[in-house]
Amino acid sequence: MDKGLIPRRYAKALFEVALERKDSEKLYEIMQVLASAFTSNPALADTLANPFVADSDKASLLLNAVYGADTDGADATYSDFVKLLVRNKRVDMARAIAIAYISLYRKENSIYRVAIASAAPLGAPEKKRLEAIIAAHLGKGTMEYEYSVDPSLIGGFTVTVNSERLDASVSNQLKRLRLSLVN
């Protein structure tokens, strides 16, 4: 069976439950925290997949990954989700389900993930100008911006919106010039 199919099904069911409970936005934030926890702590996935770790410990790990030591105030929808994963022996898919939920939520709410990489840090006016251009290009929807610095660009910037990429970097222009000279 397709390993991406199961996480998408769980994410879709979770999204529908969250909509019913009017909790989808909060759950979106929780899933972002959970996905970040897996990124910042790669051993988390290994621990959840370990058959020698007790199910109760796996549930605690998933709750602690989002709430830290203060799990008393855990969101009811997220707690129910964790219990379902434990009951169905799908705890090892928590990361994939979180990513699928984030993707589904973004699609349903017209949220674009915009990654901007520049050769040097951008100032507030440059960021504001770029964001205005991107918003005008995309039209309706919400943009989530992520900025990074990549000195290998030499100059300029790259903008990645979901899976589309605009490369306005000096390194790209040099590469294209080099290719045109070779041909």
Side-chain angles (χ1 to χ4, degrees):
M1 180 172 255
D2 180 9
K3 290 190 179 195
L5 180 64
I6 295 171
R8 284 192 304 269
R9 285 183 176 170
Y10 272 82
K12 185 175 181 186
L14 180 61
F15 183 71
E16 289 173 5
V17 168
L19 281 175
E20 287 175 14
R21 295 181 178 183
K22 297 184 184 348
D23 205 15
S24 63
E25 185 176 352
K26 182 169 181 152
L27 207 59
Y28 172 63
E29 294 168 4
I30 290 170
M31 289 298 145
Q32 287 179 311
V33 172
L34 182 60
S36 294
F38 279 100
T39 302
S40 63
N41 189 359
L44 180 59
D46 295 336
T47 304
L48 292 174
N50 188 336
F52 297 108
V53 175
D55 288 342
S56 60
D57 292 337
K58 291 177 182 183
S60 294
L61 277 173
L62 285 175
L63 289 170
N64 289 336
V66 172
Y67 296 102
D70 183 28
T71 58
D72 292 337
D75 180 76
T77 304
Y78 180 68
S79 295
D80 292 345
F81 165 69
V82 169
K83 290 173 190 170
L84 178 71
L85 291 182
V86 170
R87 187 171 55 245
N88 293 347
K89 304 290 186 201
R90 299 288 192 195
V91 175
D92 60 325
M93 295 185 167
R95 180 179 186 270
I97 295 168
I99 291 169
Y101 183 92
I102 292 167
S103 177
L104 178 62
Y105 183 88
R106 285 180 176 153
K107 183 178 178 185
E108 292 294 320
N109 291 284
S110 299
I111 298 173
Y112 299 97
R113 186 166 179 257
V114 181
I116 300 172
S118 58
L122 296 174
E126 291 88 6
K127 287 181 180 180
K128 189 174 181 178
R129 184 169 180 248
L130 264 175
E131 289 174 7
I133 292 169
I134 292 166
H137 175 71
L138 292 176
K140 292 178 77 175
T142 304
M143 276 53 87
E144 291 180 347
Y145 292 97
E146 178 183 312
Y147 290 92
S148 64
V149 175
D150 183 0
S152 70
L153 297 176
I154 302 171
F157 59 90
T158 63
V159 176
T160 307
V161 179
N162 295 338
S163 61
E164 295 180 37
R165 183 178 173 134
L166 166 71
D167 194 337
S169 66
V170 172
S171 64
N172 185 51
Q173 291 173 3
L174 289 172
K175 184 170 105 178
R176 289 172 44 200
L177 179 63
R178 190 176 317 121
L179 287 173
S180 67
L181 290 174
V182 170
N183 292 333

